[in-house]
Amino acid sequence: MSAPVSPGLRSGSLPLLVALMTLLAGLSLAGLTGVQTLAEGWSSAARNATTIEIPSDTPQLEDRTHTLVQTLHRTAEVTNVRELSPQQVQTLLAPWLGQVSSSGHLPGLSLPVVLIVAHTGTPDLGAVVHEALPEAVVEEDRRWGERLNGLGSSLVACAWLAVSLIAAIAVLSVGMTVRRSVMAQRKAVEIVHFLGAGDLTISSRIAGRAALLSLAGGLTGLLFLSPVITMLARKLAPFSHEATPPLPTNTWTDMFASWWATLHVLPRMLLEELGALPLIAACLGWMTAQTVVLVWLRRLP
């Protein structure tokens, strides 16, 4: 029975479908990792910073600002207090208020004094600042960190939903391909079935073939995905403490060494997930083919 039944799943479209599904799933996972990395970096930076704005019409502005800075330096958990220069404030506000004029000032606008306070933990800087300068406006940047965390969680959920939909589409595609291939050789399958071959034996042969084709498609999709992953790794390199300087790429050996060094920037979990995609594709192909063929055989007279 092996000769007629083993080639019962001769579909060139199955590896192509699995390769495309693997590529889509890998892109979703890579995009998810990139968003998580950026969100974590932004959240970490915002969690330990506070912005203080002092209106320019505050009485005794310079003296009271100096007093506030000294008070902040003496506050526990405050590590640094930095006052932005007028040029830095102008550059900061230019996207909203217009470009800086040739005289170096924004027309018709008196700029506030802006302090950036770096700290550890969550000190109550609002009470300290308002005690010294009630007119000051305190913006805790950790609120933006919380919003970014919420945004990151939403994007994570969307990415996993996309991966789940891709897996569902892959299962449906494999099932339809297997059913169409088996129906094309209905007579051969019926003959070996009537000769005494068990349902599980027939389905296992076809499911094994489907698993091999799915594995080949998954590996192909992973191969096509590697340039995208390399580009993502280069984009994430500035956010990684383990980033390495670019290596020369004059020869194939140098290119491979550069690619290998770049991959070290990616999180290990992402690499493990991408490496598991062909195996997951093979398992889905095997289970789907096994189920489809068994159900079809049970309906035979």
Side-chain angles (χ1 to χ4, degrees):
M1 68 161 245
S2 60
V5 178
S6 293
L9 188 62
R10 44 191 177 195
S11 174
S13 62
L14 182 58
L16 178 61
L17 288 172
V18 175
L20 293 176
M21 297 302 170
T22 302
L23 183 60
L24 290 176
L27 289 175
S28 299
L29 293 174
L32 167 63
T33 301
V35 169
Q36 284 180 321
T37 302
L38 292 178
E40 289 173 1
W42 291 335
S43 178
S44 177
R47 191 181 298 116
N48 297 325
T50 300
T51 302
I52 302 173
E53 299 177 12
I54 306 173
S56 58
D57 57 353
T58 302
Q60 302 176 351
L61 177 60
E62 293 185 5
D63 294 338
R64 298 176 70 185
T65 299
H66 179 72
T67 302
L68 175 61
V69 171
Q70 296 300 321
T71 303
L72 291 172
H73 277 301
R74 294 191 297 267
T75 303
E77 297 182 335
V78 172
T79 59
N80 185 38
V81 180
R82 181 168 62 94
E83 180 179 350
L84 299 184
S85 65
Q87 290 76 16
Q88 290 175 320
V89 177
Q90 291 169 8
T91 303
L92 186 66
L93 297 178
W96 291 272
L97 303 178
Q99 297 296 325
V100 179
S101 64
S102 58
S103 61
H105 298 281
L106 290 171
L109 180 67
S110 57
L111 299 174
V113 175
V114 178
L115 303 177
I116 305 297
V117 181
H119 55 80
T120 59
T122 56
D124 188 8
L125 294 182
V128 176
V129 173
H130 290 147
E131 183 178 354
L133 267 174
E135 302 92 340
V137 177
V138 180
E139 179 67 29
E140 290 288 352
D141 293 351
R142 66 172 178 269
R143 296 177 182 175
W144 288 102
E146 295 173 355
R147 295 172 184 173
L148 287 172
N149 284 334
L151 176 62
S153 300
S154 301
L155 293 175
V156 168
C158 291
W160 282 117
L161 177 61
V163 173
S164 301
L165 290 176
I166 291 170
I169 295 173
V171 169
L172 291 176
S173 301
V174 172
M176 293 173 62
T177 302
V178 170
R179 181 175 176 80
R180 186 168 57 249
S181 298
V182 173
M183 289 294 293
Q185 290 197 343
R186 179 188 181 97
K187 292 297 183 182
V189 176
E190 287 181 346
I191 289 173
V192 296
H193 185 258
F194 293 150
L195 289 176
D199 293 353
L200 191 60
T201 302
I202 299 175
S203 63
S204 297
R205 287 293 184 90
I206 298 178
R209 176 71 173 171
L212 289 177
L213 293 176
S214 299
L215 181 62
L219 293 175
T220 304
L222 203 60
L223 179 63
F224 286 123
L225 185 64
S226 59
V228 181
I229 298 302
T230 302
M231 182 182 65
L232 176 65
R234 293 185 184 277
K235 294 296 183 182
L236 291 179
F239 301 92
S240 174
H241 298 291
E242 300 178 357
T244 57
L247 299 176
T249 56
N250 299 326
T251 64
W252 285 103
T253 304
D254 294 336
M255 293 179 62
F256 179 78
S258 176
W259 173 78
W260 185 257
T262 303
L263 286 184
H264 282 290
V265 177
L266 294 175
R268 182 176 179 180
M269 181 175 294
L270 173 62
L271 296 177
E272 292 175 351
E273 291 173 350
L274 294 177
L277 285 179
L279 298 178
I280 294 175
C283 291
L284 288 177
W286 186 89
M287 290 187 296
T288 304
Q290 188 80 263
T291 303
V292 169
V293 175
L294 283 176
V295 171
W296 183 79
L297 289 174
R298 295 293 173 84
R299 294 178 178 177
L300 291 178

